[in-house]
Amino acid sequence: MFSYRHAFHAGNHADVLKHTVLIAMLHHLTQKEAALTVLDTHAGAGLYRLDSEFTETSGEAADGIQRLLKPTEGMTLAPALQDYLDLVASFNSKGNWRIYPGSPFIIQRLLRGHDKLKLFELHPTDTKTLMANVEQLEAGRQVAVLREDGFEGIRKFLPPPARRALVLCDPSYELKNDYARVAAMATEALKRFPTGTYAIWYPIIPRPEAHDLPRKLKTLATKAGKSWLHATLTVKSSKLVADVQGETKRPGLPASGMFVINPTHTLKPALQAALPQMVTLLAQDRHAAFTLDAGG
Ligand code: SAM
């Protein structure tokens, strides 16, 4: 069974990148009247407590979203980062950062009444929590929680009725096979629904599959004649570090990327302004950096 629980990582630098991209695209996609279908292949629990035992042990939000609360002097946050911060703030009472909304709640907050959201989650505890959290929304048939494999499950919803869809694919990559499954899912989804927007998060770690994934996705998008955008955010070196006992250990997730096929045209300028600020605010050492490429 899966051991990954997003509660340990909620609000970390990877969430800052992923959720900023997600919000920026949803703002644009919900401008057009026609209904939008959003498929979240790996939904998680939906809501996280920043003061729970999970998040407190790892403290990842402290080096993530909470650093955005103290912009460096003279810095005005880029609109995409401000939108992200405002959306998370709207789940909290003023100045009291207790709740972090995961992708299901971020998405639902930005949808209109006629849009649809399908949430896939396999972990038994997280599925139960997600269902209970979603019930509180009283969103009726707008939101569906499916305890199914997200890679497979999205097939039946593509193409969507109004031919407008955003797919967020955010696996935990606990299983090495997840990298290959992401590429296979994108290949098939593009065949079923070539005009959908596909946003894929991946970790940048010293593992061949992690390095190959964005290259594979770029080849895939290019061959299909689709536009793409690739953004990465590094907050620290990936080199092994020595702990107080002098033992070497991995430094925790140093970097991650978002690869988007058929991105909204507003995404690139939004990230051009936001990524340098993410680097300034989230840097943990001198290796902090970003990349932003697009094509097609
Ligand atoms: N997207 C969430 C967010 O941004 O708040 C975080 C998701 S977390 C990185 C990945 C989740 O995928 C975990 O909760 C895990 O239990 C779930 N999971 C793992 N394999 C899955 C699969 N094949 N289908 C659906 N969910 C899966």
Side-chain angles (χ1 to χ4, degrees):
M1 202 7 100
F2 301 109
S3 60
Y4 179 94
R5 309 294 301 280
H6 195 67
F8 288 107
H9 310 286
N12 70 358
H13 62 87
D15 270 3
V16 174
L17 173 66
K18 179 199 316 171
H19 294 154
T20 300
V21 168
L22 181 64
I23 292 166
M25 291 208 291
L26 279 168
H27 274 308
H28 182 79
L29 289 167
T30 51
Q31 301 283 307
K32 255 197 191 164
E33 183 48 30
L36 177 71
T37 297
V38 184
L39 308 175
D40 189 348
T41 61
H42 295 70
L47 284 175
Y48 306 96
R49 285 200 70 114
L50 291 176
D51 55 359
S52 76
E53 60 175 300
F54 288 121
T55 41
E56 292 233 311
T57 11
S58 63
E60 292 192 20
D63 272 332
I65 186 166
Q66 283 169 4
R67 285 193 180 203
L68 304 184
L69 302 175
K70 305 168 212 125
T72 45
E73 225 171 277
M75 181 191 279
T76 304
L77 280 184
L81 266 185
Q82 191 61 54
D83 286 347
Y84 163 67
L85 211 51
D86 289 347
L87 195 141
V88 178
S90 71
F91 285 85
N92 291 281
S93 51
K94 205 170 172 8
N96 205 347
W97 290 77
R98 285 216 183 127
I99 304 286
Y100 188 84
S103 51
F105 275 68
I106 290 177
I107 298 164
Q108 199 275 337
R109 184 58 68 90
L110 296 171
L111 295 185
R112 293 92 34 102
H114 60 300
D115 297 324
K116 293 274 187 279
L117 174 57
K118 313 286 182 198
L119 303 168
F120 298 88
E121 174 54 51
L122 269 185
H123 194 290
T125 312
D126 281 353
T127 310
K128 235 165 115 186
T129 311
L130 178 63
M131 283 177 171
N133 283 333
V134 165
E135 225 171 87
Q136 309 272 327
L137 280 171
E138 296 184 4
R141 295 180 60 188
Q142 182 189 43
V143 185
V145 178
L146 299 100
R147 190 175 164 189
E148 287 177 28
D149 181 309
F151 293 120
E152 300 282 327
I154 62 163
R155 283 194 190 142
K156 56 179 169 286
F157 297 111
L158 295 176
R163 306 220 147 237
R164 299 186 69 232
L166 167 65
V167 177
L168 172 67
C169 183
D170 179 24
S172 38
Y173 297 93
E174 260 185 291
L175 308 171
K176 204 163 106 181
N177 196 23
D178 275 357
Y179 296 93
R181 296 194 76 197
V182 168
M185 183 208 75
T187 309
E188 197 194 330
L190 267 179
K191 281 189 191 135
R192 284 177 177 265
F193 186 48
T195 54
T197 294
Y198 300 93
I200 293 152
W201 179 88
Y202 71 96
I204 301 179
I205 47 173
R207 181 168 207 161
E209 296 85 358
H211 282 278
D212 286 348
L213 182 61
R215 276 187 238 144
K216 278 191 183 155
L217 294 171
K218 189 171 155 184
T219 306
L220 182 70
T222 310
K223 276 193 182 153
K226 299 293 163 193
S227 59
W228 55 270
L229 177 146
H230 182 206
T232 70
L233 174 67
T234 301
V235 297
K236 60 185 170 186
S237 162
S238 62
K239 292 223 166 73
L240 294 171
V241 288
D243 65 13
V244 273
Q245 277 95 34
E247 283 179 26
T248 51
K249 58 175 180 101
R250 289 250 165 254
L253 184 69
S256 71
M258 279 295 275
F259 195 97
V260 187
I261 302 173
N262 292 327
T264 58
H265 70 85
T266 46
L267 184 61
K268 191 175 174 195
L271 291 179
Q272 272 166 337
L275 280 167
Q277 294 190 340
M278 288 189 204
V279 171
T280 306
L281 295 168
L282 302 176
Q284 292 183 35
D285 65 27
R286 66 186 170 82
H287 297 273
F290 74 90
T291 63
L292 179 60
D293 301 301

